[in-house]
Amino acid sequence: MVQKAKILLVDDRPENLLALEAILSALDQTLVRASSGEEALKALLTDDFAVILLDVQMPGMDGFETAAHIKRRERTRDIPIIFLTAINHGPHHTFRGYAAGAVDYISKPFDPWVLRAKVSVFVDLYMKNCQLKEQASLLRLQLEGGGKGDVAEGKESVGLLAELSARLAAVEEQAEALSKQLDDDSADAAAVATAAHLERKLTGLRRALDALEPGAGSTSSVSSQS
C-alpha cells in the first residue's frame, strides 16, 4: 500500500484553509493545516512534507520569515514552497518571494485547476524520491550482505537483485513519464530541475545495480582485454 504524501497548508484565515482543502482534496493526499508560521515550523519538526503552500500575509511571523526559517533547517530546506498572496506590489515583491526560497509565487484569487496541477507535480516528484530511497536502502542491504559465500545466501541475493531490478525499472518508467509531462506542460523550471536530478540519481542507482549482477565483473574483464 502506497503511503500518501503530506501537504502543509499555512494560512491564518480558516476560510482560506478550507478553500485550499476543497481544491486539493482531489489529489487524495494528506492535508495538514497550520494557522501561523510558528505552527508550521512545529509541524515540520516531526513530519515530512511533499510541498508547502504558504500565505505571505500573516500576523506575527509572516510568510517570508517562515520560509527563511524553513530554508535554514537541514531537514526542511529542500521542501518546495509555493507562496500564496492576496497582494502584489510588483516585481520587487515577487522577487522577494523567490529570494526567500519559493518555487512559485501565486496571487489570489488563483485558478484552482492551475494550483492543483502545480501541487500535483511536486507530490509526484516527492513520491518518486521516496521510491528511490527505498531502492537505495535495498541496494545497501545487498552490498552489506555480499561476499558471504554461502550457496543459500547466494540464491537469496540473486532473488533480491531480480526484485530490486524490477522495482527500480518501475520507478524509472514513472520518472520518464513525469519528465515528458513536465516538458509538454512547460512546467516551472524548479520542477524540471528537480525531475532531472531525480533521473540522475536513478541512473546512478541502475549502474550500481548492474555492477552487482552475476557475471558483471567477468564481462567487464573480457571487454577490457578485447
Side-chain angles (χ1 to χ4, degrees):
M1 186 175 181
V2 179
Q3 186 175 1
K4 293 183 179 181
K6 291 183 178 179
I7 302 170
L8 184 58
L9 314 176
V10 189
D11 199 304
D12 63 299
R13 300 176 68 88
E15 62 270 24
N16 290 343
L17 290 172
L18 189 62
L20 288 174
E21 288 175 337
I23 293 170
L24 300 176
S25 60
L27 297 179
D28 193 28
Q29 304 300 327
T30 302
L31 306 177
V32 179
R33 284 189 176 201
S35 58
S36 66
E38 292 85 356
E39 191 175 334
L41 294 176
K42 185 177 180 180
L44 287 162
L45 287 173
T46 55
D47 289 324
D48 294 324
F49 291 90
V51 61
I52 302 170
L53 273 63
L54 181 57
D55 184 39
V56 171
Q57 283 188 299
M58 295 186 294
M61 185 184 297
D62 67 11
F64 295 131
E65 188 177 353
T66 302
H69 281 288
I70 293 171
K71 292 303 178 182
R72 278 199 293 266
R73 293 178 178 176
E74 184 176 355
R75 174 188 172 92
T76 58
R77 65 178 54 164
D78 294 326
I79 303 177
I81 298 174
I82 298 177
F83 272 132
L84 305 176
T85 179
I87 59 172
N88 190 347
H89 294 309
H92 175 73
H93 198 256
T94 303
F95 175 77
R96 187 182 175 193
Y98 287 116
V103 297
D104 211 336
Y105 193 96
I106 304 176
S107 297
K108 302 175 185 177
F110 45 78
D111 186 331
W113 293 93
V114 171
L115 179 64
R116 187 160 52 237
K118 289 177 180 291
V119 171
S120 178
V121 168
F122 289 107
V123 167
D124 286 344
L125 289 172
Y126 173 81
M127 299 299 284
K128 300 302 179 294
N129 196 46
C130 287
Q131 290 177 311
L132 177 59
K133 288 179 180 178
E134 183 181 353
Q135 311 311 322
S137 178
L138 285 172
L139 180 58
R140 255 194 318 273
L141 288 174
Q142 171 61 35
L143 289 170
E144 291 170 359
K148 294 185 177 179
D150 187 84
V151 175
E153 288 178 350
K155 290 181 178 179
E156 184 178 347
S157 295
V158 171
L160 179 59
L161 276 173
E163 179 186 355
L164 180 55
S165 181
R167 296 178 69 176
L168 180 58
V171 178
E172 288 170 331
E173 183 178 349
Q174 293 170 350
E176 182 180 358
L178 179 59
S179 294
K180 289 180 179 178
Q181 177 187 339
L182 290 174
D183 291 339
D184 293 342
D185 294 344
S186 300
D188 298 320
V192 174
T194 304
H197 180 63
L198 178 62
E199 285 195 332
R200 287 194 296 273
K201 284 187 174 182
L202 283 170
T203 300
L205 188 55
R206 172 57 70 185
R207 287 174 179 167
L209 184 60
D210 288 344
L212 292 174
E213 291 288 346
S218 59
T219 300
S220 299
S221 177
V222 172
S223 298
S224 62
Q225 294 174 3
S226 57

